[in-house]
Each structure stands twice: as structure tokens, then as C-alpha cells.
């Protein structure tokens, strides 16, 4: 196959690749419904095991605990050994080769021309307008910028970023530099959508796990859901800002919960 | 201000809560002069819609006077009298621009919630659970109206609140249901449900050129209203083979279009309907498709089934083989109210229809819990309750 050029062509290539990929590569190998049943069933077993003060009770609790773990993480060692996967592969999140970390990919179609979107994204100091946890961004010269994020529980995280690629109206790429709590790199691509639909914006993010081995991968996988959700939310906000001029919110609205 | 808040099944309370404020530049604040209880509010009252939180303010059919506008709103000013459409729509995404306002991409702040359940998120709605954005509703003295520059429509002082209030939801809803039937001269339209939406579906079908409209319900007052006020041929469906009845009434062909103005809480007396109700009470299934099944069976070959009634979750045992074999068209969805506001206001101004005829009860906002109760149980001949905050 020739090198894919457009998002549509890349989509076909990705699907082709997914079908060729060996099953044992996937970490989340337990299907959604099975996971819920695992947590429920495991919970029941654990509780009933803990209520019996006996060897049998301990055994039950361990079995229950294992099921709960399996449900929560979506990973089954047994399945992995048997090369079974009951979960569906999703193109939005995948493992980087060699257990390096995870890759997240999301697209969104925005009803504006590529130029307008590229220009807004390029102005990194505007990132707090559409990235929920980013408190401030300051350019520091030489295609570099300093980012400050405010996470839940008032945790402040800071890092420096460098723009590595810049093709006007088409592509912006970056990576974290220096000491950073989470090593990551990313890119955003702008391509015209079919007539009248605007622009397809594709965001790719790579997070490199810094803990060693399987534990690092497990943590990365659990943690991986959070950046994937963040990426999607940020794209939603960027789209709303570009199309509607503001990001919809109900924060600060009235309700019976804040009654006088 | 005073507002009607949801606290659980059959539990709504009028409480004092903070006044709404401008949050985004395209917001406006409306002082509400009239607000109604919708049939779909009963699904919230009965606990069938997930993601409600205790304290949520209900209500999505409201109108009033603009008291404040954000800096992004140029076309409205303080003092304007407006009716507010129930879908919240940004006006600039692909769907809004296509006139599919209830499918807006940008008005649901919790889009991820709806995406998890439905694959994609549609527009936010006032007072209709967090899957639809969690916006505070309009059964209150004031409401915050987002995207006020593309939603609300100004209404003339020559028309009373009662005459224009239903532009917010149920009149366009009935109209869209009929519009979706693609009515041709000579057509017969069958309508299940003679509640407020059904009433407007009947009227709209005639306005759009239907030759005959046949309507069904179990409640005598509603059947009488449908016959005397809207001009439909009516019958009570309890214990009756509806499919055969409609076949005989249409010379063996079946109605050209079938409108379901009942939705997920349909009643029935057959065993299957009883089965549906038990499953729903036990939360084994979410929606009851009794009416939908009948509509599919009754519709003529090549006809259209148009769903106005709200569905939320999953349906069991739908005769899809029948639908396929007969080549039916299905049309459905939340109403694109903004599309119909101007044309329907014009019809009201011309005297073609006076929507106020469906109102059976006026009461103050403070009596709203009583209003919900009689509306739910169809007591006191209740068909539509309008509240004055």
C-alpha cells in the first residue's frame, strides 16, 4: 500500500493494521460486559469470603479479589496466556512498541477552515481557553513554552514544551523537554473535510511510561483512560470555541443543591 | 428565586434557590411569565430517565421577559417578550446550519456521557438530566438561556401567553411528527395518543393536507378534545384489535402514516404489554414499545412511522420483520423547534390555530407538585397544566 496521505486513507490503513495485529498485543483483553460482571461477582465473593473466618473464606476472598482486579483493569493473565481477547480493539488508544507507553488518537470535524483552526492552536497561550486543566501557558522563545496545569486536589504540575514541527495550516507537533512528570509528545493535523463540512482535526498524543516493566504498563493503562478522556474533552472544547465562540458549561448554574 | 426541583421518584419540591446569572457571553436571563409541565417531564417524575441528580431544576416549556443579556447577544434587549425553544443550540455547527437544531454538536457540556450511551451527543435540553447537559430548567421564576441570540423568538403583545407558550415544545413537536409523514393529498394519518402532543399532531396533519386523521386514546376527555377541537375520527383502543380496526377504517389498506405520540411509557392490556410493564418496573428493560409495535403492524405497506414520543433506552421484541417486509420508513427525534418557531407563530397570528385550547389547568408555581400528580394520574380531566411563577 502506498504511504497514506489523507485521514481517510490513514483510517483504512489503520483498520488494515488492526486486523493484522496479533491478538496477544492487547492489554485490555476482557470485554466491557464481562468486566462489569467480574466486578459484581468478584465483589460478592470477596465480601462473603471475608465474612467467614476460615481457610475457605480466605480462598473465596482471594478469588473474589482477583475477579474484581480483572474487572477494574480489564486485564486477565489467563486470557493473555491463552491468547483470548473478549474486548473490542479501539483505534483511539494503543500500546507503543516495546512497552514504551501508550498512544492516543482522536479526530473531530470542525465547521471552520483549516487556516482559522491552525492559527488559533498555534497561539499556545490560548490553550487554557479550551484545555480544562491547563491554568496558563507562556511562550519562552525559540519555539518553546512553559505550561502550568492544575489537577484535581489542587495539584500543580509544570513542564516545558518545544514545537518540533510546524507546517502552516497543516501540522503542529511538540514534545515535552527537560525534567517533566509525564514525558509526552503530540501532534495536531488539519485537513479539509469533504465539501461543506469544514476541517478534520486529528490529535495524536504519546505518553512514555517512566516506571519499569509490566507494572509501568499496568499503571500506564489505568492512567491511559484519563488522558484519552482529556484529549476528547479538549477537542470538544476547541470545536465549540471555534464554531460557537464559547464553550458550553453549567458550572456555576443554580440548583436545589445550592439553596438558601 | 423559587424553583421546582427533582428529588426522586414522585418527589418534586418547590424551593428557594439562587437566581440564575450570566455565565457565558451569549447567555440571557429571562423572567418567566408562564411555564408548562410536559408529558416527557413525567418520565423524569417516574424515574425512567437516568443521570438525574437530586436538586436538579425541571422544566423546558417556558416564556417570559428578557431581563439581562450577555455581551455576545445583539438581537435581544431587556424588556423583550420571548418564547424559548427547548433544545439549546449554538447556531454554527454543521447540524444547526442544516436546520437540525436538536442535534447541535456544541451545547452539551457533558457530551462524553451521551457518547457513552448513544455513540454521539445531541443538543443539551433544559431540565432533562445530565445526559442532556444538566441545564437548570424553566419551572422557576427565572432561567438562564444559553445561545440566546439564536434560540428565543420575540412574540407580539397582541397574543396572550397561553396562545404562544406551546411554541416552546409541544406545538412544533406535533407539527414535526406530522411533517415527517410526508403527507400527500388523500392520505390518512393515524395518531396514537391524544395528549397535548397528539392533539397538535392531529391539528398539524390537517394543516399539512391530510384527508383523514384517526386518533386513539383510553381517556374520554382526551378523545372528546381530539374529536371536537381537532376534528379527528376517534376510538378508544382498550381491548380492541387496533391493527384490524385501522385496516377496516381505511378500506383494507392501512393508514398511510402512523404517529406515535405516546413514547416509552405506553400502556396496553395485552399480555405482551403486561410483560413490558413488569420488565420496566424491574428495570430489566427501559422502554415500553407497545404502541410502536401496533404502529408497525398497522401501517400500510410503504408507509411512514413517525415517532414523537420520547424513547430513552432499549426496546424488546419489535416486529422488525414486519417493518422490513412492508418497506416502512421510520422518522424520529427530538424536535428541531427553532426551525418551526417563525412559521408556526405566523399560523397563530393568522388565526389558523389557537393552541391554548388544550390547557385544562392553570396554577401557581407553588402548586406544581400537585400539578405533576394530577397530570400523571390524569385526574380531574387533566390534559395540560400551565404554571404561573
Amino acid at each position: 500500500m502506498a504511504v497514506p496521505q489523507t485521514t481517510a486513507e490513514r483510517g483504512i490503513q489503520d483498520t488494515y493494521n488492526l486486523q493484522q495485529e496479533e491478538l496477544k498485543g492487547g492489554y485490555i483483553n476482557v470485554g466491557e460486559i464481562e468486566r462489569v460482571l467480574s466486578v459484581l461477582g468478584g465483589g460478592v465473593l470477596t465480601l462473603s469470603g471475608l465474612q467467614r473466618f476460615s481457610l475457605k473464606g480466605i480462598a473465596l476472598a482471594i478469588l473474589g479479589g482477583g475477579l474484581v482486579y480483572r474487572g477494574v483493569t480489564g486485564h486477565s493473565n489467563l486470557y493473555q496466556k491463552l491468547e483470548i481477547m473478549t474486548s473490542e480493539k479501539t483505534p483511539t488508544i494503543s500500546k507503543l512498541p516495546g512497552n514504551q507507553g501508550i498512544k492516543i488518537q482522536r479526530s473531530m470535524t470542525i465547521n471552520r477552515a483549516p487556516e482559522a483552526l491552525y492559527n488559533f492552536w498555534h497561539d499556545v497561550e490560548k490553550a487554557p481557553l479550551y484545555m480544562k486543566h491547563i491554568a496558563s501557558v507562556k511562550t519562552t522563545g525559540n519555539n518553546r513554552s512553559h505550561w502550568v496545569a492544575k489537577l484535581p486536589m489542587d495539584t500543580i504540575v509544570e513542564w516545558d514544551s518545544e514545537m518540533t514541527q510546524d507546517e502552516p495550516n497543516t501540522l503542529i507537533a511538540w514534545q515535552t523537554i527537560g525534567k517533566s512528570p509525564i514525558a509526552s509528545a503530540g501532534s495536531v493535523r488539519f485537513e479539509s473535510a469533504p465539501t461543506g463540512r469544514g476541517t478534520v482535526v486529528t490529535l495524536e498524543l504519546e505518553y512514555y511510561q517512566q516506571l519499569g516493566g509490566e507494572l509501568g504498563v499496568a499503571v500506564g493503562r489505568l492512567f491511559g483512560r484519563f488522558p484519552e478522556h482529556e484529549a476528547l474533552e479538549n477537542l470538544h472544547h476547541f470545536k465549540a470555541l471555534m464554531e460557537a465562540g464559547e464553550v458550553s458549561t453549567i458550572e456555576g448554574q443554580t440548583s436545589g443543591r445550592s439553596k438558601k | 428565586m423559587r424553583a421546582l426541583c427533582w428529588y426522586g421518584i414522585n418527589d418534586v419540591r418547590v424551593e428557594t434557590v439562587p437566581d440564575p446569572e450570566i455565565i457565558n457571553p451569549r447567555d440571557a436571563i429571562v423572567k418567566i411569565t408562564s411555564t408548562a409541565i410536559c408529558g416527557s417531564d413525567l418520565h423524569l417524575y417516574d424515574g425512567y430517565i437516568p443521570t438525574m441528580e437530586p436538586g436538579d431544576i425541571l422544566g423546558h416549556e417556558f416564556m417570559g421577559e428578557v431581563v439581562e443579556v450577555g455581551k455576545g447577544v445583539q438581537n435581544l434587549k431587556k424588556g423583550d417578550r420571548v418564547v424559548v425553544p427547548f433544545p439549546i443550540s449554538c447556531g454554527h455547527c454543521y447540524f444547526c446550519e442544516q436546520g437540525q437544531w436538536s442535534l447541535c454538536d456544541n451545547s452539551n457540556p457533558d457530551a462524553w456521557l451521551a457518547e457513552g450511551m448513544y455513540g454521539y451527543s445531541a443538543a443539551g435540553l433544559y431540565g432533562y438530566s445530565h445526559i442532556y447537559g444538566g441545564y437548570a430548567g424553566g419551572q422557576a421564576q427565572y432561567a438562564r438561556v444559553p445561545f440566546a441570540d439564536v434560540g428565543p423568538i420575540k412574540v407580539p403583545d397582541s397574543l396572550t401567553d397561553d396562545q404562544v407558550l406551546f411554541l416552546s415544545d409541544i406545538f412544533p413537536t406535533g407539527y414535526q411528527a406530522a411533517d415527517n409523514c410526508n403527507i400527500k393529498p388523500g392520505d390518512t394519518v393515524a395518531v396514537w395518543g391524544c395528549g397535548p402532543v397528539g392533539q397538535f399532531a392531529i391539528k398539524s396533519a390537517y394543516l399539512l393536507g391530510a384527508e383523514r386523521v384517526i386518533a386513539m386514546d383510553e381517556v374520554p376527555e382526551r378523545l372528546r378534545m381530539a374529536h371536537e377541537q381537532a376534528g379527528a375520527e376517534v376510538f378508544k383502543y382498550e381491548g380492541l384489535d387496533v391493527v384490524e380496526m385501522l385496516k377496516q377504517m381505511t378500506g383494507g389498506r392501512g393508514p398511510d402514516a402512523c404517529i406515535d405520540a405516546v413514547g416509552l411509557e405506553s400502556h396496553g392490556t395485552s399480555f405482551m404489554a403486561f410483560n413490558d410493564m413488569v420488565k420496566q418496573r424491574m428495570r430489566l428493560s427501559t422502554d415500553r414499545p407497545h404502541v410502536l409495535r401496533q404502529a408497525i403492524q398497522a401501517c400500510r405497506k410503504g408507509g411512514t412511522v413517525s415517532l414523537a414520543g420520547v424513547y430513552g433506552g432499549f426496546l424488546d421484541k419489535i416486529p422488525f420483520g414486519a417493518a422490513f417486509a412492508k418497506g416502512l420508513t421510520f422518522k424520529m427525534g427530538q424536535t428541531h423547534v427553532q426551525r418551526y418557531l417563525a412559521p408556526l407563530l405566523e399560523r397563530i397570528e393568522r388565526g389558523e390555530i389557537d393552541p391554548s385550547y388544550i390547557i385544562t389547568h392553570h396554577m401557581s408555581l407553588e402548586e406544581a407538585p400537585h400539578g405533576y400528580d394530577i397530570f400523571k394520574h390524569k385526574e380531574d380531566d387533566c390534559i395540560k397544566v400551565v404554571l404561573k411563577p
Side-chain angles (χ1 to χ4, degrees):
Chain A
M1 230 174 162
V3 173
Q5 295 303 322
T6 63
T7 300
E9 283 176 17
R10 262 206 305 288
I12 296 168
Q13 179 74 59
D14 283 343
T15 311
Y16 179 79
N17 286 343
L18 278 175
Q19 284 163 347
Q20 302 305 304
E21 200 183 279
E22 286 184 59
L23 278 179
K24 61 182 175 178
Y27 182 77
I28 295 180
N29 53 11
V30 183
E32 289 290 326
I33 295 174
E34 215 188 306
R35 285 172 67 176
V36 171
L37 290 173
S38 258
V39 172
L40 288 176
V44 168
L45 281 179
T46 308
L47 283 174
S48 64
L50 289 173
Q51 277 168 353
R52 289 167 223 244
F53 298 105
S54 65
L55 271 177
K56 192 171 173 196
I58 295 170
L60 267 179
I62 291 174
L63 177 62
L67 280 176
V68 171
Y69 173 84
R70 181 185 196 263
V72 166
T73 61
H75 178 74
S76 160
N77 285 316
L78 179 63
Y79 274 19
Q80 190 169 27
K81 294 273 182 306
L82 297 176
E83 294 179 29
I84 295 169
M85 261 183 73
T86 54
S87 65
E88 290 165 331
K89 280 193 276 277
T90 170
T92 56
I93 181 166
S94 54
K95 257 167 71 159
L96 289 173
N99 279 347
Q100 277 180 68
I102 54 167
K103 177 172 166 173
I104 291 159
Q105 192 174 319
R106 275 280 177 185
S107 305
M108 198 160 282
T109 304
I110 302 184
N111 196 15
R112 297 279 306 268
E115 297 76 45
L117 304 179
Y118 165 85
N119 285 330
F120 203 89
W121 193 286
H122 197 277
D123 186 355
V124 290
E125 295 192 350
K126 291 203 165 75
L129 292 174
Y130 55 94
M131 294 194 187
K132 185 169 173 181
H133 290 121
I134 304 298
S136 75
V137 182
K138 285 274 168 319
T139 48
T140 52
N142 246 354
N143 279 336
R144 293 182 173 198
S145 48
H146 185 75
W147 292 62
V148 179
K150 201 164 173 204
L151 299 178
M153 311 231 256
D154 284 333
T155 323
I156 309 276
V157 176
E158 299 187 43
W159 66 89
D160 289 296
S161 184
E162 172 181 63
M163 199 177 292
T164 53
Q165 272 180 281
D166 187 4
E167 288 165 43
N169 306 329
T170 307
L171 170 70
I172 300 172
W174 61 87
Q175 66 187 12
T176 55
I177 48 174
K179 213 164 150 306
S180 154
I182 315 256
S184 69
S187 70
V188 63
R189 203 175 287 272
F190 306 94
E191 289 160 294
S192 282
T195 315
R197 311 287 175 109
T199 304
V200 176
V201 179
T202 305
L203 185 60
E204 271 181 20
L205 298 167
E206 291 180 352
Y207 289 89
Y208 306 109
Q209 58 92 10
Q210 292 169 134
L211 293 170
E214 283 295 319
L215 176 62
V217 174
V219 170
R221 271 292 174 178
L222 275 175
F223 169 72
R225 286 283 161 202
F226 179 66
E228 194 207 352
H229 183 74
E230 283 282 286
L232 181 61
E233 287 285 278
N234 291 344
L235 272 179
H236 267 306
H237 292 168
F238 182 63
K239 176 179 158 93
L241 197 59
M242 295 288 92
E243 289 179 353
E246 54 189 54
V247 177
S248 288
T249 180
I250 54 167
E251 255 172 75
Q253 77 170 359
T254 178
S255 78
R257 292 178 287 280
S258 46
K259 49 181 175 280
K260 300 192 169 126
Chain B
M1 69 158 183
R2 299 287 286 166
L4 193 282
C5 304
W6 182 93
Y7 280 97
I9 297 178
N10 294 337
D11 186 1
V12 292
R13 308 172 207 167
V14 183
E15 300 184 318
T16 303
V17 302
D19 285 1
E21 290 178 346
I22 303 276
I23 300 176
N24 271 344
R26 291 173 66 191
D27 289 352
I29 306 291
V30 170
K31 180 176 175 197
I32 298 170
T33 54
S34 293
T35 177
I37 303 176
C38 184
S40 54
D41 285 335
L42 291 180
H43 304 325
L44 298 169
Y45 190 62
D46 293 340
Y48 288 122
I49 306 288
T51 73
M52 287 295 290
E53 280 173 37
D56 283 345
I57 300 174
L58 303 186
H60 57 267
E61 298 183 69
F62 62 98
M63 65 176 287
E65 189 190 307
V66 175
V67 292
E68 201 185 338
V69 293
K71 26 190 211 321
V73 180
Q74 312 297 333
N75 61 330
L76 294 178
K77 60 185 190 309
K78 194 167 159 174
D80 282 344
R81 182 168 172 245
V82 295
V83 173
V84 180
F86 81 89
I88 298 169
S89 318
C90 76
H92 299 290
C93 64
Y94 171 79
F95 295 99
C96 286
E97 285 186 355
Q98 298 288 317
Q100 296 183 294
W101 301 87
S102 74
L103 301 180
C104 177
D105 272 334
N106 295 320
S107 60
N108 189 348
D110 285 329
W112 62 273
L113 203 51
E115 279 176 13
M117 251 200 92
Y118 296 144
Y120 297 90
S121 165
L125 308 178
Y126 292 101
Y128 214 76
S129 92
H130 289 262
I131 225 179
Y132 280 106
Y135 287 95
Q139 280 159 11
Q141 290 177 312
Y142 293 87
R144 166 191 167 232
V145 174
F147 302 124
D149 54 338
V150 301
I153 186 169
K154 288 199 272 220
V155 288
D157 288 335
S158 53
L159 297 171
T160 64
D161 271 18
D162 283 356
Q163 287 174 302
V164 293
L165 175 62
F166 303 133
L167 285 170
S168 57
D169 177 358
I170 53 177
F171 183 14
T173 297
Y175 193 87
Q176 180 173 290
D179 201 12
N180 278 341
C181 293
N182 212 11
I183 296 170
K184 298 190 183 38
D187 271 1
T188 300
V189 178
V191 179
W192 275 255
C194 296
V197 169
Q199 298 287 338
F200 289 126
I202 297 166
K203 276 266 189 188
S204 301
Y206 281 121
L207 285 173
L208 288 165
E211 176 95 11
R212 291 170 71 195
V213 181
I214 304 171
M216 291 154 271
D217 204 298
E218 0 160 69
V219 181
E221 307 80 57
R222 298 183 176 208
L223 289 168
R224 192 178 314 125
M225 187 185 271
H227 180 63
E228 287 171 11
Q229 304 271 14
E233 298 166 51
V234 298
F235 64 86
K236 212 168 170 207
Y237 65 71
E238 194 178 328
L240 197 60
D241 186 338
V242 169
V243 176
E244 270 312 309
M245 183 74 171
L246 288 171
K247 200 187 269 190
Q248 287 316 304
M249 287 174 83
T250 53
R253 301 184 309 275
D256 301 281
C258 295
I259 296 178
D260 169 4
V262 176
L264 69 90
E265 285 187 74
S266 67
H267 306 280
T269 47
S270 65
F271 173 71
M272 235 199 213
F274 177 74
N275 190 27
D276 291 332
M277 183 199 70
V278 170
K279 282 195 314 219
Q280 194 182 35
R281 290 264 173 85
M282 292 175 63
R283 303 293 193 256
L284 283 174
S285 68
T286 55
D287 300 0
R288 298 206 294 258
H290 178 74
V291 163
L292 181 56
R293 286 193 197 113
Q294 284 184 341
I296 290 172
Q297 296 289 112
C299 196
R300 73 147 167 90
K301 294 183 289 182
T304 301
V305 173
S306 174
L307 309 180
V310 175
Y311 287 91
F314 299 90
L315 296 178
D316 248 2
K317 296 189 184 40
I318 296 300
F320 229 69
F324 184 84
K326 296 196 296 183
L328 298 182
T329 299
F330 285 84
K331 298 283 281 186
M332 62 191 79
Q334 296 281 8
T335 316
H336 303 303
V337 175
Q338 289 86 335
R339 189 201 280 178
Y340 296 106
L341 284 175
L344 293 184
L345 175 61
E346 210 184 311
R347 286 193 189 260
I348 298 172
E349 283 178 300
R350 283 207 300 262
E352 287 178 39
I353 177 172
D354 182 345
S356 63
Y357 78 91
I358 62 156
I359 305 174
T360 52
H361 292 76
H362 283 100
M363 53 184 77
S364 81
L365 177 65
E366 299 297 322
E367 298 168 270
H370 175 65
Y372 268 83
D373 191 45
I374 59 170
F375 188 38
K376 170 176 174 165
H377 296 109
K378 303 184 176 91
E379 275 165 29
D380 199 23
D381 290 355
C382 180
I383 297 180
K384 190 70 176 176
V385 178
V386 171
L387 306 166
K388 296 279 182 201

